[in-house]
Amino acid sequence: MKDFDTFKELQKTQKAYQYVLTLASWDSNTEAPKASFPFRSEMLGIISGEHFSLLTDKEYVETVNDLYENGEDLNNRQTREIEKAKKNLDKIVKIPKRDYIEYSKLLNNAQKAWEESKEDSDYEAFKPYLEKIIAMKKKMVSFRQKENQHAYDVLLDDFEEGMTMEKYDAFFNTVKEELVPFVKDILKKKSDEAPAFVKKSYPVDKQKEFVEYLLDVFDFKKDRGVLKESVHPFTWNTHSKDVRFTTSYHENYVFSSVFAAIHELGHATYEQQVDDVFDMTNLKSGASMGIHESQSRFYENMIGRSKPFWNTHLSKFKSMFPSQMKTIEVDDFYQAINRVDETFIRIEADELTYPLHILIRYEIERMIFNDEVTVEELPSIWNKKVKEYLNLDVKKDSDGLLQDVHWSNGMFGYFPTYALGSAYAAQIYYTLIEDIEFEKLVEENRIDKINKWLRNKIHCYGSSLKPREIMEKVTGEPFNPKYYIRYLKEKYSDLYLK
Amino acid sequence: MKDFDTFKELQKTQKAYQYVLTLASWDSNTEAPKASFPFRSEMLGIISGEHFSLLTDKEYVETVNDLYENGEDLNNRQTREIEKAKKNLDKIVKIPKRDYIEYSKLLNNAQKAWEESKEDSDYEAFKPYLEKIIAMKKKMVSFRQKENQHAYDVLLDDFEEGMTMEKYDAFFNTVKEELVPFVKDILKKKSDEAPAFVKKSYPVDKQKEFVEYLLDVFDFKKDRGVLKESVHPFTWNTHSKDVRFTTSYHENYVFSSVFAAIHELGHATYEQQVDDVFDMTNLKSGASMGIHESQSRFYENMIGRSKPFWNTHLSKFKSMFPSQMKTIEVDDFYQAINRVDETFIRIEADELTYPLHILIRYEIERMIFNDEVTVEELPSIWNKKVKEYLNLDVKKDSDGLLQDVHWSNGMFGYFPTYALGSAYAAQIYYTLIEDIEFEKLVEENRIDKINKWLRNKIHCYGSSLKPREIMEKVTGEPFNPKYYIRYLKEKYSDLYLK
């Protein structure tokens, strides 16, 4: 039988390659000069090739498979490490190399085609690519599908371990039944226009100063992290002592800068608080896409968009933007940052309508992998659902099914984790407020104490626990969407229906 | 016979490793969080190990040696590539592995010991390390020394190809004979204190804005480069399309920020202007330490500290610092940025006294490698020379021979290139002003035209030409220190003796 130490040794070398590639991608996304990319990709291509060889190296494959089959002597953590390694391995080695290369090439070309077709709002130009991507995706999945396993279930599990259509159906049916009518009621009450101060000009250097202030408010550990700027905000890490994130600043939309920063701070805090015993393992990062998103949404919505938070920090914000904020009080501000409105674009959606955007995507992906829709029919299906759930008439596909990058990257099964994250966050929230004086701590600027709770309950485990295990351990029951519905109804009834 | 294509192929893989390691070191020096270093060094240690294996790989060693011995069919550029590869190879493979490891460990420990002993100005604490470094250095050199070759000549050639004690003696004797008495005359005339505006407080964000302005003035190509901050300014590059540099800002010493930036811009412009046919070769970077330094000094001193430059740009500077600069006119400014003064510290020295600091180091290194001095005697020798050349009494070794990091890194033979660079710059300067209307171009803010001249004459060649070949090609004669003396005497007579 192969030795677990052999596995660790081989994995360590793989990690070193992964490390420099991750470092290079941080550089690519935040500061590498434009003209450097051709040389860069040639150099990184060589390192990626070496990395790939290590990942598919015969000794490594045998070691993982052997430990997976005969791992009776492993402890729990070791078993979990092997389980994750095996899953990653199968994603690579079960695919014939020829298909792997063909698929990579297809995605490269599709990316550019999608950008152009979105630019021109020309679905016809993207359609042949999407058709091929879906066909290839189904083929790729078939190599990994277990008997009686549905293709879409393979993909759902890729992004959120343990999730299936059955479970997501239960979730999204609740969203559909409970939330869709509630949103309609709220939308009847909303004001036509956002208040004037929202769209005023806020100098970017002052915004940066305020985001720096937020780093301290959220107790971000600067000796173990970096904040930078990029076009799209993201969080990046190699281990708990090097966690970096970016935000982007918009002079005429200060809320976007502020809440993107708080959102990423949620991701970053999660990564900073993973126990460092996992640094050298494949368990060193957050548990799943959904659990990760729950932490960023918790930061962004439960803390960042709460009244207690701004009771404490609005004075700082006003001191930095005195002319823009002159007459604005906490109640005005709280209303404005929680304003509900229909929008075509998912990433511009508010907290309440956001899950409906995900519902649309989930239902369509489900149809695609159940062969219930042709690529030809996708825009009309999309637009019908937008009408049904958001009461909007899609005028151009760039505001419709061409808006997201995911499908052009072959990422099917990813979207549902966004809504799931918010729903996890609500369930965790109701446990947390039983345990600690949440509002008081937020208002007293003691987010470090909230971080401590999150660390002990969730963060410290890295991905040594599965999402399901985390939810049960923290909240005492499996994932249950009722908390999400309750949270949204309580919050938005209070804001709009009183 | 081995194929040149084999060499290129093997070298390309090496370059990919070098590339990611260089990228990681840029990150280490500019933004990696403090706590990330232990994990980081473990990961990078693995990649460095792989890189080292490739550099000493049997096939590569045989290929280089074979092409070096039997390279009659290679063209000039290929011959030069093999010559450089052979030199680098010998530096590694001729050293027994045991000595290599011992020496690396010694340097690691010596680094820390030097820092502490400099902090405490305690030479005794550093002495045993320095003694071992010198002994090991002599041993390491012995493996590479040719018959009748002097150890110090090996080191001088490492940092400046083709240079020897004989050549440096001629240079430094001229400096000693011509410059030492001239400096004494000048120092009699200097004012006791720098003018008040020099040490005023200049807000760092405004300094940054001015340095951004300088990037355009010097026509730095931003799509092929990055400017950032670090403790010690430096220039970094992987190829001509990715050239990055840093500067550091000092609120109470604005000239340091400005001239460090211009200095590094000189290095960076050189690297940006290397012909991209060299990107994938070992000839892609500047010709030598000395030639590189000539370009940074040319930028810093000949352009940056010239009156025509400030005739054009002082108004911008004044507009950014109106209160600090209120009554200051170009003449005052020009005097202030070229103020001569004795100082103990090399890196704080002005353009005129700087070569005397190097003279001291050269003479002492020469003695060390000729066994003419013991480590015990070094401080008294150092202090004697400082008295002789600069008329200063060294009170503590931290202001004396403990000030520089170089020896603790085993870098002997490096210092002379600093003075050589300034001397090369002067020789190039006198050719350039014959060729183009230098002062007029500077004053008309057409540094792009000066860059073009430098590109065509020097930069484009990368290191395909040797330093000697460049000097002869550009100026029509071998390196001659008389131009340096002439330049300094003309400039400083005009400033101080009129």
Side-chain angles (χ1 to χ4, degrees):
Chain A
M1 186 187 144
K2 291 286 184 181
D3 202 303
F4 190 75
D5 290 340
T6 307
F7 165 69
K8 295 299 281 183
E9 203 48 42
L10 295 170
Q11 203 194 32
K12 193 171 165 184
T13 308
Q14 292 173 8
K15 283 184 94 63
Y17 283 81
Q18 184 57 55
Y19 181 81
V20 292
L21 289 166
T22 308
L23 210 54
S25 91
W26 168 256
D27 185 77
S28 294
N29 282 294
T30 59
E31 73 179 45
K34 214 171 148 188
S36 71
F37 281 82
F39 184 84
R40 182 179 199 80
S41 60
E42 189 155 1
M43 294 290 102
L44 295 178
I46 292 171
I47 302 295
S48 298
E50 301 279 328
H51 184 221
F52 188 83
S53 301
L54 292 171
L55 290 176
T56 54
D57 163 70
K58 193 163 164 276
E59 189 185 5
Y60 179 71
V61 174
E62 282 174 10
T63 304
V64 171
N65 282 329
D66 194 4
L67 287 166
Y68 186 76
E69 299 296 336
N70 311 299
E72 300 81 8
D73 296 338
L74 301 179
N75 65 29
N76 283 351
R77 205 179 99 190
Q78 291 170 333
T79 305
R80 178 73 181 143
E81 285 186 59
I82 295 299
E83 185 184 34
K84 285 202 74 176
K86 169 70 175 161
K87 198 171 168 183
N88 282 327
L89 192 62
D90 285 353
K91 275 192 215 170
I92 302 171
V93 294
K94 287 200 172 174
I95 316 287
K97 199 168 176 183
R98 194 173 39 182
D99 291 310
Y100 195 91
I101 292 168
E102 191 187 333
Y103 185 60
S104 302
K105 276 189 193 156
L106 172 61
L107 292 188
N108 266 335
N109 297 330
Q111 187 62 26
K112 213 172 154 8
W114 168 74
E115 278 168 24
E116 287 169 9
S117 91
K118 183 183 173 185
E119 181 84 21
D120 306 335
S121 194
D122 175 13
Y123 179 67
E124 287 303 311
F126 181 54
K127 207 175 66 181
Y129 291 93
L130 185 56
E131 191 141 30
K132 269 185 225 149
I133 290 171
I134 291 170
M136 276 298 287
K137 193 83 199 176
K138 287 177 179 171
K139 185 177 178 191
M140 305 282 278
V141 165
S142 71
F143 299 118
R144 300 194 282 134
Q145 243 166 310
K146 296 191 188 104
E147 227 185 303
N148 297 322
Q149 192 186 23
H150 194 285
Y152 193 41
D153 279 343
V154 176
L155 299 172
L156 292 172
D157 181 78
D158 278 352
F159 290 108
E160 189 69 14
E161 197 177 353
M163 285 303 283
T164 58
M165 270 192 288
E166 195 187 337
K167 291 179 185 170
Y168 271 123
D169 282 351
F171 172 41
F172 282 110
N173 284 337
T174 309
V175 167
K176 203 163 157 177
E177 282 161 29
E178 300 266 354
L179 217 55
V180 172
F182 179 72
V183 170
K184 286 196 172 134
D185 290 346
I186 296 288
L187 287 173
K188 279 180 217 148
K189 304 276 183 171
K190 72 161 174 89
S191 58
D192 282 342
E193 292 253 347
F197 78 93
V198 171
K199 295 280 173 187
K200 279 188 179 162
S201 162
Y202 292 76
V204 165
D205 59 334
K206 287 283 160 194
Q207 292 193 28
K208 287 183 183 174
E209 222 179 303
F210 188 71
V211 168
E212 274 294 329
Y213 166 81
L214 289 176
L215 258 55
D216 291 329
V217 168
F218 283 91
D219 201 28
F220 181 72
K221 306 296 186 214
K222 290 181 191 169
D223 65 331
R224 300 196 265 133
V226 171
L227 162 66
K228 233 167 143 183
E229 252 183 281
S230 66
V231 181
H232 302 289
F234 69 97
T235 298
W236 171 107
N237 72 302
T238 54
H239 70 307
S240 61
K241 294 186 191 70
D242 193 354
V243 179
R244 311 184 189 188
F245 74 101
T246 67
T247 190
S248 58
Y249 299 95
H250 305 277
E251 184 166 341
N252 291 302
Y253 195 21
V254 67
F255 288 170
S256 164
S257 318
V258 167
F259 291 105
I262 297 178
H263 181 97
E264 297 305 324
L265 267 167
H267 287 303
T269 301
Y270 190 172
E271 292 294 336
Q272 281 199 333
Q273 297 204 117
V274 171
D275 196 313
D276 62 12
V277 300
F278 299 119
D279 278 358
M280 279 292 171
T281 74
N282 60 2
L283 311 176
K284 73 177 166 56
S285 213
S288 70
M289 299 297 310
I291 300 288
H292 234 302
E293 195 69 8
S294 79
Q295 300 306 291
S296 56
R297 297 279 172 172
F298 183 83
Y299 257 48
E300 180 188 345
N301 294 326
M302 279 76 173
I303 302 179
R305 293 185 202 271
S306 75
K307 209 190 277 184
F309 187 80
W310 292 102
N311 281 338
T312 301
H313 303 292
L314 188 66
S315 58
K316 174 74 182 177
F317 190 78
K318 286 179 75 164
S319 77
M320 304 196 63
F321 305 105
S323 67
Q324 297 89 334
M325 292 288 296
K326 202 183 292 176
T327 62
I328 308 303
E329 296 306 323
V330 170
D331 282 333
D332 311 316
F333 195 81
Y334 177 63
Q335 285 279 345
I337 61 176
N338 289 294
R339 184 168 179 273
V340 176
D341 201 358
E342 308 96 333
T343 168
F344 294 107
I345 307 297
R346 176 182 61 83
I347 58 166
E348 292 171 5
D350 56 80
E351 185 185 12
L352 183 66
T353 58
Y354 190 87
L356 308 188
H357 290 266
I358 302 303
L359 170 63
I360 294 165
R361 286 152 181 79
Y362 172 71
E363 290 187 339
I364 293 178
E365 287 188 349
R366 200 183 186 293
M367 291 172 78
I368 291 173
F369 287 90
N370 277 302
D371 303 314
E372 293 167 3
V373 64
T374 65
V375 173
E376 183 69 36
E377 297 162 336
L378 285 177
S380 67
I381 297 276
W382 181 285
N383 300 350
K384 219 182 104 212
K385 288 187 184 289
V386 171
K387 183 71 186 171
E388 184 183 348
Y389 301 142
L390 292 163
N391 197 28
L392 289 172
D393 297 299
V394 177
K395 298 280 193 314
K396 46 184 188 177
D397 292 329
S398 56
D399 284 345
L401 89 168
L402 286 177
Q403 67 181 274
D404 294 306
V405 69
H406 302 59
W407 292 349
S408 72
N409 274 333
M411 292 199 291
F412 295 89
Y414 189 125
F415 285 123
T417 67
Y418 291 137
L420 187 65
S422 298
Y424 282 162
Q427 185 166 338
I428 292 165
Y429 168 77
Y430 285 108
T431 301
L432 181 141
I433 60 175
E434 293 288 310
D435 251 27
I436 56 175
E437 294 183 288
F438 175 71
E439 295 203 350
K440 192 161 168 277
L441 290 172
V442 170
E443 197 153 326
E444 287 174 354
N445 200 17
R446 292 307 305 263
I447 292 176
D448 60 316
K449 294 205 167 178
I450 299 170
N451 286 345
K452 198 177 161 191
W453 191 93
L454 294 169
R455 186 187 68 219
N456 293 338
K457 299 280 181 177
I458 302 169
H459 299 177
C460 71
Y461 298 108
S463 52
S464 65
L465 299 179
K466 295 177 188 173
R468 180 184 51 72
E469 292 169 327
I470 286 184
M471 290 309 289
E472 289 183 8
K473 207 174 162 89
V474 177
T475 70
E477 62 176 310
F479 166 60
N480 186 337
K482 78 175 183 193
Y483 296 102
Y484 185 37
I485 306 299
R486 176 180 157 194
Y487 162 78
L488 289 174
K489 284 191 174 174
E490 280 178 5
K491 178 169 178 178
Y492 288 90
S493 298
D494 186 59
L495 274 156
Y496 282 88
L497 304 178
K498 270 207 313 198
Chain B
M1 189 187 143
K2 292 285 182 181
D3 201 303
F4 190 76
D5 290 342
T6 307
F7 165 71
K8 296 299 282 181
E9 202 49 41
L10 294 171
Q11 204 196 31
K12 193 171 167 185
T13 309
Q14 293 173 7
K15 283 185 94 64
Y17 283 81
Q18 184 58 55
Y19 181 80
V20 291
L21 289 166
T22 309
L23 209 54
S25 89
W26 168 255
D27 185 76
S28 295
N29 282 295
T30 59
E31 74 179 44
K34 213 172 147 187
S36 70
F37 281 81
F39 184 84
R40 182 179 199 77
S41 60
E42 190 156 0
M43 293 291 102
L44 296 179
I46 293 170
I47 301 297
S48 298
E50 301 278 328
H51 183 220
F52 188 83
S53 301
L54 293 171
L55 291 176
T56 53
D57 163 70
K58 192 162 166 277
E59 189 186 4
Y60 178 70
V61 174
E62 283 175 8
T63 305
V64 171
N65 281 329
D66 194 5
L67 287 167
Y68 186 75
E69 299 295 336
N70 311 299
E72 299 82 8
D73 295 340
L74 302 179
N75 65 30
N76 283 352
R77 205 179 98 189
Q78 291 171 333
T79 304
R80 177 73 181 142
E81 285 187 58
I82 294 299
E83 185 183 33
K84 285 202 76 177
K86 168 71 175 161
K87 197 170 170 185
N88 282 326
L89 191 61
D90 286 351
K91 274 191 216 170
I92 302 172
V93 295
K94 287 201 173 175
I95 316 287
K97 199 171 177 183
R98 196 173 37 182
D99 291 311
Y100 194 89
I101 293 169
E102 192 188 332
Y103 185 60
S104 302
K105 278 190 192 158
L106 173 62
L107 292 188
N108 266 335
N109 298 329
Q111 187 63 25
K112 214 173 152 10
W114 168 74
E115 279 167 24
E116 287 169 9
S117 91
K118 183 184 173 186
E119 181 85 21
D120 306 335
S121 194
D122 175 14
Y123 179 64
E124 287 304 309
F126 182 54
K127 206 175 66 180
Y129 291 94
L130 185 56
E131 191 139 30
K132 269 185 227 150
I133 290 172
I134 291 170
M136 277 297 288
K137 193 81 200 179
K138 286 176 180 171
K139 186 176 176 190
M140 305 280 280
V141 165
S142 72
F143 299 117
R144 301 195 281 134
Q145 244 166 310
K146 295 192 189 105
E147 228 185 300
N148 297 322
Q149 192 185 22
H150 193 284
Y152 194 40
D153 279 344
V154 176
L155 299 172
L156 292 173
D157 181 78
D158 277 354
F159 290 107
E160 189 69 15
E161 198 175 354
M163 284 305 281
T164 58
M165 272 191 287
E166 193 187 337
K167 290 178 186 169
Y168 271 123
D169 283 349
F171 172 39
F172 282 110
N173 285 337
T174 309
V175 167
K176 204 163 156 178
E177 282 160 29
E178 300 264 356
L179 218 53
V180 172
F182 179 71
V183 169
K184 287 196 173 135
D185 290 345
I186 297 287
L187 287 173
K188 280 180 216 149
K189 304 276 183 173
K190 74 165 172 85
S191 57
D192 282 344
E193 294 251 347
F197 79 93
V198 171
K199 295 280 174 186
K200 279 188 179 163
S201 163
Y202 292 76
V204 165
D205 59 332
K206 286 283 160 192
Q207 291 193 29
K208 287 184 184 174
E209 222 179 302
F210 187 71
V211 168
E212 275 293 331
Y213 166 81
L214 289 177
L215 259 54
D216 292 330
V217 168
F218 283 91
D219 201 27
F220 181 73
K221 305 296 187 213
K222 290 180 189 169
D223 65 331
R224 299 196 267 133
V226 171
L227 162 66
K228 233 168 142 183
E229 251 183 282
S230 67
V231 182
H232 303 288
F234 68 97
T235 298
W236 170 106
N237 72 302
T238 54
H239 69 307
S240 60
K241 293 187 192 70
D242 193 354
V243 180
R244 310 183 189 189
F245 74 101
T246 68
T247 190
S248 58
Y249 298 95
H250 306 277
E251 184 167 342
N252 292 301
Y253 196 20
V254 66
F255 288 170
S256 166
S257 320
V258 167
F259 290 105
I262 297 177
H263 181 97
E264 296 306 324
L265 268 167
H267 286 303
T269 301
Y270 190 171
E271 292 294 336
Q272 282 198 333
Q273 297 203 115
V274 171
D275 196 312
D276 63 12
V277 298
F278 299 119
D279 279 357
M280 279 293 171
T281 74
N282 60 3
L283 311 177
K284 73 178 166 54
S285 212
S288 70
M289 300 297 310
I291 300 288
H292 234 301
E293 196 69 8
S294 78
Q295 300 308 289
S296 56
R297 299 278 171 171
F298 183 83
Y299 257 48
E300 180 188 345
N301 294 325
M302 278 75 171
I303 302 179
R305 293 187 201 270
S306 75
K307 208 188 278 185
F309 187 80
W310 292 102
N311 280 340
T312 302
H313 303 292
L314 188 66
S315 59
K316 175 74 183 175
F317 191 77
K318 287 179 76 164
S319 77
M320 305 198 61
F321 305 106
S323 67
Q324 297 88 335
M325 292 288 295
K326 204 183 290 176
T327 62
I328 308 303
E329 296 306 324
V330 170
D331 282 333
D332 312 316
F333 195 80
Y334 177 62
Q335 284 280 344
I337 60 177
N338 289 295
R339 184 170 177 272
V340 176
D341 202 358
E342 308 95 335
T343 169
F344 294 106
I345 307 298
R346 175 182 60 85
I347 58 167
E348 293 171 5
D350 56 81
E351 185 185 13
L352 183 65
T353 58
Y354 190 86
L356 308 187
H357 290 267
I358 302 304
L359 170 62
I360 293 165
R361 286 154 180 78
Y362 172 71
E363 290 187 338
I364 293 177
E365 288 187 349
R366 200 183 187 292
M367 291 172 80
I368 291 173
F369 286 89
N370 277 303
D371 303 313
E372 293 167 4
V373 65
T374 65
V375 172
E376 184 68 39
E377 297 161 336
L378 285 178
S380 66
I381 297 275
W382 182 285
N383 299 351
K384 220 183 103 211
K385 288 187 184 289
V386 172
K387 182 70 187 173
E388 184 184 348
Y389 302 143
L390 291 163
N391 197 28
L392 289 171
D393 297 299
V394 177
K395 297 279 193 313
K396 45 184 188 174
D397 292 330
S398 56
D399 284 346
L401 91 167
L402 286 176
Q403 67 181 275
D404 293 307
V405 69
H406 302 60
W407 291 349
S408 73
N409 274 334
M411 293 199 291
F412 295 89
Y414 188 124
F415 284 123
T417 66
Y418 290 137
L420 187 65
S422 298
Y424 282 162
Q427 184 166 340
I428 292 164
Y429 169 77
Y430 284 107
T431 301
L432 181 142
I433 59 175
E434 294 288 309
D435 251 28
I436 56 176
E437 294 183 287
F438 176 71
E439 296 203 349
K440 190 162 172 278
L441 290 172
V442 170
E443 197 153 327
E444 286 174 354
N445 199 18
R446 290 307 304 264
I447 293 177
D448 59 315
K449 293 206 168 176
I450 298 170
N451 286 344
K452 197 175 162 193
W453 192 93
L454 293 170
R455 187 187 70 221
N456 292 339
K457 298 280 181 176
I458 301 168
H459 299 177
C460 71
Y461 298 108
S463 51
S464 65
L465 299 178
K466 295 178 189 175
R468 181 185 50 75
E469 291 170 327
I470 286 184
M471 290 308 290
E472 288 182 11
K473 208 173 161 90
V474 177
T475 70
E477 60 176 312
F479 167 57
N480 187 336
K482 77 175 183 191
Y483 295 103
Y484 186 36
I485 306 300
R486 174 179 160 195
Y487 162 77
L488 290 174
K489 285 191 175 176
E490 280 178 5
K491 177 169 178 180
Y492 288 89
S493 299
D494 187 59
L495 275 155
Y496 281 89
L497 305 179
K498 270 208 312 199

